[in-house]
Amino acid sequence: MYKLNIKIVAVVLISLMSCTQEKNEANIIPRPNEITFGRGSFNLSGSSAFVSEALPSECKEYVKGFMKQLSTACGEKSELSDRGNVRFLYDAKLPEESYRIKSERQGLTVFASDYNGIIYAIQSIKQMLPVSIYTGKADVDDVWSIPCGTINDSPRFHYRGLMLDCSRHFFSTDEVKKIIDVMEIHKLNRLHWHLTDDQGWRVEIKKYPELIKVGAYRDGTCIGKDFESDDGITYGGFYTQEELKDIVSYAAAKGITIMPEIDLPGHMQAALSSYPQLGCTGGPYKVWKRWGVSNDVLCVGKESTFTFLEDVLSEICDIFPSEYIHIGGDECPTDCWKTCPACQAKIASLGIKGDEKYSAEHYLQSYTTEKVSEFLASKGRKIIGWDEILEGKIVDGATVMSWRGSEGGVNAALVGHDAIMTPNSHFYFDHYQSKDEDNEPLAIGGYSSVEHVYGYDIDISPELAGHILGVQANMWTEYIKTDSHLEYMILPRLAALSEVQWCHVVNKNWNRFANDMQHIRIIYERLGYNYATHMFDKWSPCDQA
Ligand code: TNX
């Protein structure tokens, strides 16, 4: 009994010590490459900041915003000054998006070579400060110091994305901004915005007003997974070009590029209902009320379809400065092309022939992708498509988004194409995050816990590695109708994703991550995010496996 008590006391002491140690540690997610802390600390309360003129001009505004948050939270004025003790300096030797923080008793110095590097340094600093830095409401026991030491940090992948489907369900501009905010905290840099699909067209196109008049609304939505049912409630919404431009600049200020997706030639039923002449039969078509893959796709036998696509994509390019435009390309049944005189005439006039691997219609889709790609290239843009674009003939210069596992991405890299990994085995945030499905909101299926997301590892040979641009998670929203449900599906899986995207393999460690999440969850809480708690239910802060 006595022996047992000693053991218990020892365990408690050790865990208390490790907890105290952990507190001196930085709970930054994603984990920086190198953190070395020494003795002493620097107190940021009342500090002022100097921003070197050698840094990109927008850095000043960002630092100013941080100083403002600091002032509000600490209750002591922090502002920009030529003699600031928090100094932001340019270091040409640092790669893109990288940063170094040197913290000394008398001040803090941040080095970077670009805007994103400065953003990420500040995000790391904020995660080392009391959570009231995010809300401006300081607690009495808040301590505003950062331990002396250095942080050297640089991302593993340069494409760190999240895809948001606003077609199946529509999310307000405020909610989209709220998602952008949490992406910034986790150092993601791409929001892939799925704006069109069978169930709703969400982007205003001035030349084709019916797209939002007709295509943005459906007469009802199927109930649960009964695709024949219909709730009879008109559902829809769209973003004006002004709203979209506002979101583009909101995201850019946070180092995030918005990549729009116009899914073609399949997943186009909302466009077909607005302009039935775009289809093979001429319709009539209805904005789809159910989920799945529709057989009604664009008629690519008609030249007028390409005129439509070019007009739409021109306006898209005017709204979104993104170097990449996503053109979808997924799940395009070719049934109607097989019986469509225009499509068949096109196949004949182009001399397209099927072979043992792919049908002539598959090659007709490749032709479509190629034409769209050439048009976008004339506007200085590059295309990304879902991995179906590997079927038939892959278009020169196209980047592949690998969703049906990682093989598509590896195959693309093998033939010299760039790829982004977004396999549905790990990064489909519409999948269940707990095995206890009965106690979860209805989801499409699958299973991807936070730990499972965290465990993704791309084992690729060094020669292919250069073609793997990065990793992304996809938030499809067939079953997600509300903001709180959306946040529940994204968080905290986004945190796990961010370490897959950012951390070099040696720095990934589930136990350390789970421990660090105790801090991030409070940030989520204070910022009013609805996050899933499964991982915390199983985890206590000092629980080291
Ligand atoms: C597949 S991933 C789709 C989407 C669905 C999703 C549901 C991809 C390119 N297409 O249309 O929403 O599955 O998980």
Side-chain angles (χ1 to χ4, degrees):
M1 183 64 179
Y2 178 65
K3 261 190 182 161
L4 188 73
N5 277 345
I6 289 187
K7 215 173 160 191
I8 292 174
V9 171
V11 168
V12 169
L13 272 177
I14 289 169
S15 42
L16 270 177
M17 276 162 61
S18 71
C19 271
T20 344
Q21 250 169 28
E22 293 295 334
K23 280 204 174 138
N24 291 334
E25 267 279 308
N27 308 111
I28 303 168
I29 292 181
R31 174 79 170 184
N33 279 349
E34 257 180 55
I35 306 181
T36 332
F37 286 142
R39 284 184 176 195
S41 60
F42 170 67
N43 195 311
L44 269 97
S45 174
S47 59
S48 54
F50 165 78
V51 183
S52 159
E53 292 295 332
L55 283 165
S57 57
E58 59 269 35
C59 293
K60 261 196 186 155
E61 210 40 48
Y62 197 85
V63 173
K64 214 163 134 189
F66 172 53
M67 288 291 117
K68 210 167 148 199
Q69 288 167 342
L70 205 56
S71 309
T72 319
C74 307
E76 274 201 64
K77 207 168 166 65
S78 282
E79 54 193 358
L80 297 191
S81 138
D82 284 348
R83 293 210 217 122
N85 50 359
V86 180
R87 300 180 319 136
F88 293 86
L89 305 180
Y90 176 73
D91 180 350
K93 287 194 288 303
L94 284 173
E96 268 176 39
E97 301 195 297
S98 309
Y99 66 91
R100 186 165 74 247
I101 300 173
K102 201 163 163 229
S103 163
E104 295 159 300
R105 282 173 214 236
Q106 67 277 17
L108 202 69
T109 317
V110 170
F111 300 90
S113 67
D114 65 356
Y115 183 50
N116 280 35
I118 295 293
I119 294 179
Y120 302 144
I122 291 180
Q123 289 307 316
S124 291
I125 293 169
K126 284 175 75 171
Q127 286 192 38
M128 288 193 277
L129 292 174
V131 289
S132 46
I133 185 70
Y134 293 92
T135 57
K137 292 184 204 110
D139 293 337
V140 270
D141 52 357
D142 277 351
V143 178
W144 295 93
S145 56
I146 282 187
C148 291
T150 44
I151 296 183
N152 276 311
D153 205 8
S154 182
R156 179 175 181 204
F157 292 110
H158 282 294
Y159 183 108
R160 302 181 302 279
L162 175 72
M163 188 225 66
L164 181 61
D165 167 13
C166 289
S167 168
R168 274 54 177 272
H169 282 102
F170 180 75
F171 295 91
S172 68
T173 52
D174 282 348
E175 183 61 12
V176 175
K177 286 183 179 173
K178 199 172 169 195
I179 300 302
I180 290 171
D181 293 345
V182 76
M183 288 172 69
E184 177 193 31
I185 292 175
H186 289 300
K187 306 187 173 92
L188 272 74
N189 63 4
R190 293 287 193 295
L191 176 65
H192 164 181
W193 206 357
H194 188 78
L195 286 164
T196 66
D197 214 305
D198 300 314
Q199 297 82 3
W201 184 281
R202 308 274 174 240
V203 38
E204 178 192 28
I205 300 293
K206 302 251 164 84
K207 201 158 183 184
Y208 297 93
E210 299 297 303
L211 285 172
I212 52 168
K213 255 195 229 140
V214 176
Y217 299 93
R218 56 182 182 252
D219 294 342
T221 305
C222 61
I223 300 161
K225 290 189 177 169
D226 178 2
F227 293 162
E228 304 313 315
S229 67
D230 177 357
D231 66 8
I233 304 166
T234 304
Y235 181 89
F238 64 90
Y239 307 102
T240 65
Q241 294 200 356
E242 280 314 298
E243 286 171 327
L244 293 165
K245 285 180 186 160
D246 172 56
I247 292 191
V248 166
S249 57
Y250 183 85
K254 291 167 183 275
I256 296 167
T257 303
I258 299 200
M259 173 176 72
E261 178 184 353
I262 302 296
D263 202 347
L264 66 100
H267 288 283
M268 267 283 173
Q269 202 166 309
L272 297 187
S273 14
S274 317
Y275 295 97
Q277 64 273 30
L278 293 169
C280 290
T281 62
Y285 306 98
K286 291 288 246 175
V287 182
W288 229 19
K289 301 184 201 177
R290 51 157 290 184
W291 321 125
V293 178
S294 167
N295 277 332
D296 290 318
V297 303
L298 285 180
C299 172
V300 293
K302 288 186 280 228
E303 273 314 299
S304 51
T305 301
F306 289 97
T307 311
F308 166 81
L309 287 177
E310 292 182 4
D311 289 342
V312 167
L313 290 169
S314 285
E315 292 194 32
I316 291 291
C317 287
D318 291 343
I319 304 166
F320 299 95
S322 165
E323 177 191 14
Y324 291 102
I325 304 288
H326 202 301
I327 52 98
D330 60 315
E331 301 176 324
C332 179
T334 52
D335 307 48
C336 55
W337 293 355
K338 287 195 177 109
T339 51
C340 166
C343 290
Q344 290 306 313
K346 183 60 109 196
I347 285 175
S349 73
L350 293 169
I352 294 177
K353 299 227 164 8
D355 51 34
E356 58 295 337
K357 241 176 137 189
Y358 298 112
S359 66
E361 287 76 19
H362 263 125
Y363 288 106
L364 184 62
Q365 181 172 347
S366 306
Y367 161 81
T368 307
T369 311
E370 187 159 31
K371 264 193 91 135
V372 169
S373 166
E374 279 164 9
F375 174 73
L376 286 169
S378 76
K379 299 203 152 271
R381 310 301 176 98
K382 295 185 190 163
I383 63 156
I384 297 190
W386 297 109
D387 57 41
E388 281 91 337
I389 65 165
L390 282 166
E391 292 162 11
K393 181 177 161 285
I394 176 154
V395 169
D396 284 349
T399 297
V400 172
M401 210 167 239
S402 190
W403 71 278
R404 296 172 297 181
S406 302
E407 301 79 49
V410 171
N411 290 340
L414 279 172
V415 292
H417 284 260
D418 288 344
I420 292 155
M421 295 300 195
T422 172
N424 53 5
S425 56
H426 288 76
F427 301 122
Y428 268 46
F429 284 1
D430 54 343
H431 287 182
Y432 284 104
Q433 45 193 324
S434 154
K435 289 237 160 94
D436 183 14
E437 294 183 7
D438 292 345
N439 286 310
E440 287 296 309
L442 181 71
I444 198 160
Y447 171 67
S448 246
S449 63
V450 186
E451 193 165 358
H452 185 70
V453 172
Y454 195 82
Y456 181 73
D457 190 22
I458 330 163
D459 185 18
I460 34 164
S461 58
E463 58 279 14
L464 295 190
H467 281 301
I468 308 297
L469 304 184
V471 179
Q472 171 176 294
N474 296 334
M475 185 67 262
W476 299 106
T477 59
E478 283 95 331
Y479 297 92
I480 297 157
K481 300 181 184 160
T482 64
D483 295 352
S484 67
H485 189 184
L486 182 73
E487 293 164 19
Y488 178 84
M489 299 308 269
I490 293 178
L491 299 172
R493 289 189 281 196
L494 186 80
L497 169 75
S498 77
E499 293 224 342
V500 174
Q501 296 169 325
W502 185 279
C503 299
H504 296 270
V505 182
V506 288
N507 291 324
K508 273 180 74 198
N509 175 323
W510 168 256
N511 288 330
R512 189 266 311 144
F513 168 81
N515 198 40
D516 289 344
M517 282 304 292
Q518 296 294 340
H519 181 68
I520 285 278
R521 74 179 295 191
I522 304 170
I523 299 176
Y524 295 163
E525 229 148 71
R526 296 283 178 90
L527 291 175
Y529 288 98
N530 180 38
Y531 63 95
T533 58
H534 312 87
M535 75 171 289
F536 307 111
D537 300 342
K538 291 195 288 196
W539 188 262
S540 86
C542 295
D543 214 357
Q544 299 287 333

